[in-house]
Amino acid sequence: MGGRNTPSAQTAVELFRVVVTSQSPVRVAPQSQQIAAGLERIGKAQIVAQTLLTDAKDRKSDDYLPRHQRVLEHLPQILHCIRLLMRRGGEGERGITDSIVMDAANYYQYNALQAEPLLKELTEHYRALDNKQFLALVSKYRGDLLYLQDDTDGALRCYDEAEKLFRDVRDDLGLANTLQSRGHLLRLRGDTDGASQCYDDAEKLFRDVRDNLGLANTLKSRGHLLKADGHVDDAYALYRDAEALYRAVRDPTMLALTLAELYECCVLLDRLPEAEERKAQALAALDDVPYDNVKAYVLIKLGIIPKDY
């Protein structure tokens, strides 16, 4: 972590307790002094929020999991900090707010009760500013959150707005991510043709912007569609391509999940020696996976633990 004013992550607990939740420490202070003290607390909260989220960005780090857990522990305060910065509304805060909103993208799902109204408020905030780029991003985040809450109609409306805005601002990566999410939702609804078209469009965009992780995720999703439809050979080929990309970007979690899919394909195709090889590779990949739920899922797919585990 660089910068003299950036606190160590270990200080975050105490800082957030004092900074975000405290009232003005001197009640008899003049109003201007109280305002100055409040602004100072928000500034410190912003620094801590940025520190925690920046620390948790590198998923390849050996200590990623405790850093990720630290963000989860302080997520209510981080989300509250976003709201405070947004409501201040000054020019100086807008860039800071934008940065934290983006850095928190993978965390809104962990506190839907607080995140959903915040994202709704951010939507109106960016609409009022006519900031199409961040309005598109927040619409995408809201869609993902509503999708996880089984509000598929609401999610589709958010994806519609995000897709239009990303096209307007010519953000191909944002558009690709939105199409991928729409594909997941349509697959859940049983619209395999619609999902397939979304995945095809997303794949082209990910190739254009050279985002190998997004491309791998989309190939894997296309593999799921084909396997479910009985096209196991075609699914196997896509999983192989996704495997190579996950190895290239060093994502052990997605690699383990893909190797488990390859194992199932080999069993279905009666390629039993290769199936055993894929099982061994998946088990080896699990050594670097920090998530217990992913480990359990892969072990179930490999037939090592029962499905009702």
Side-chain angles (χ1 to χ4, degrees):
M1 286 172 288
R4 292 179 301 175
N5 297 323
T6 303
S8 67
Q10 284 80 2
T11 67
V13 178
E14 292 305 320
L15 274 170
F16 260 135
R17 283 177 182 166
V18 174
V19 168
V20 180
T21 61
S22 68
Q23 301 298 319
S24 295
V26 183
R27 296 191 177 206
V28 296
Q31 185 178 20
S32 60
Q33 186 176 343
Q34 291 182 16
I35 292 172
L39 294 178
E40 182 181 0
R41 284 198 300 274
I42 296 174
K44 289 179 180 177
Q46 162 250 309
I47 293 171
V48 177
Q50 288 181 306
T51 299
L52 291 169
L53 291 168
T54 300
D55 274 359
K57 275 185 177 180
D58 186 4
R59 297 191 179 191
K60 299 170 187 174
S61 170
D62 291 338
D63 57 351
Y64 164 73
L65 196 57
R67 294 180 179 190
H68 168 73
Q69 188 61 40
R70 198 175 294 125
V71 173
L72 295 182
E73 290 170 1
H74 304 306
L75 190 57
Q77 293 96 326
I78 291 172
L79 298 180
H80 185 54
C81 178
I82 293 173
R83 176 172 276 111
L84 292 175
L85 288 166
M86 172 183 61
R87 289 179 176 177
R88 279 176 64 177
E91 287 289 339
E93 283 76 36
R94 287 179 189 171
I96 297 169
T97 305
D98 296 347
S99 176
I100 299 177
V101 165
M102 287 185 65
D103 288 346
N106 292 325
Y107 289 97
Y108 298 121
Q109 61 182 305
Y110 294 104
N111 189 342
L113 187 65
Q114 191 178 356
E116 203 284 324
L118 172 62
L119 290 171
K120 186 175 182 180
E121 193 172 345
L122 282 166
T123 298
E124 298 311 312
H125 169 73
Y126 287 119
R127 200 186 306 280
L129 294 174
D130 196 29
N131 186 330
K132 290 185 177 182
Q133 180 69 53
F134 274 86
L135 179 56
L137 285 170
V138 171
S139 296
K140 163 69 165 59
Y141 300 156
R142 278 194 76 200
D144 291 344
L145 192 61
L146 292 172
Y147 166 60
L148 292 173
Q149 294 176 302
D150 293 326
D151 183 358
T152 55
D153 288 335
L156 278 175
R157 286 193 294 271
C158 289
Y159 292 148
D160 285 343
E161 181 168 26
E163 182 179 339
K164 179 182 181 303
L165 289 163
F166 280 130
R167 291 186 189 279
D168 286 347
V169 299
R170 299 182 179 181
D171 183 339
D172 286 346
L173 180 58
L175 178 58
N177 284 320
T178 303
L179 289 169
Q180 186 181 61
S181 291
R182 183 193 289 276
H184 297 338
L185 190 153
L186 294 177
R187 189 178 73 188
L188 178 70
R189 282 187 156 189
D191 182 359
T192 55
D193 289 340
S196 181
Q197 185 61 59
C198 285
Y199 290 146
D200 286 349
D201 293 343
E203 179 185 339
K204 292 172 186 173
L205 289 166
F206 281 127
R207 290 187 187 279
D208 287 345
V209 299
R210 298 183 181 181
D211 186 312
N212 284 339
L213 180 58
L215 176 59
N217 291 338
T218 302
L219 293 173
K220 181 170 173 288
S221 296
R222 287 185 57 211
H224 294 339
L225 273 181
L226 290 169
K227 191 173 79 165
D229 204 29
H231 301 291
V232 182
D233 268 320
D234 293 333
Y236 172 88
L238 289 173
Y239 289 140
R240 281 289 304 271
D241 291 343
E243 175 201 359
L245 289 167
Y246 287 132
R247 290 188 186 279
V249 299
R250 295 170 55 209
D251 189 322
T253 299
M254 297 307 294
L255 175 61
L257 290 167
T258 304
L259 288 167
E261 297 294 344
L262 282 166
Y263 165 78
E264 281 197 339
C265 286
C266 289
V267 170
L268 292 170
L269 294 169
D270 200 28
R271 301 175 186 171
L272 299 185
E274 185 181 351
E276 289 303 310
E277 181 183 348
R278 292 300 185 180
K279 176 186 283 191
Q281 291 173 348
L283 290 172
L286 284 182
D287 290 341
D288 296 319
V289 174
Y291 310 110
D292 289 340
N293 61 331
V294 173
K295 290 181 178 181
Y297 179 81
V298 169
L299 292 174
I300 289 170
K301 295 278 281 185
L302 298 176
I304 293 173
I305 60 176
K307 291 184 178 180
D308 57 354
Y309 171 76

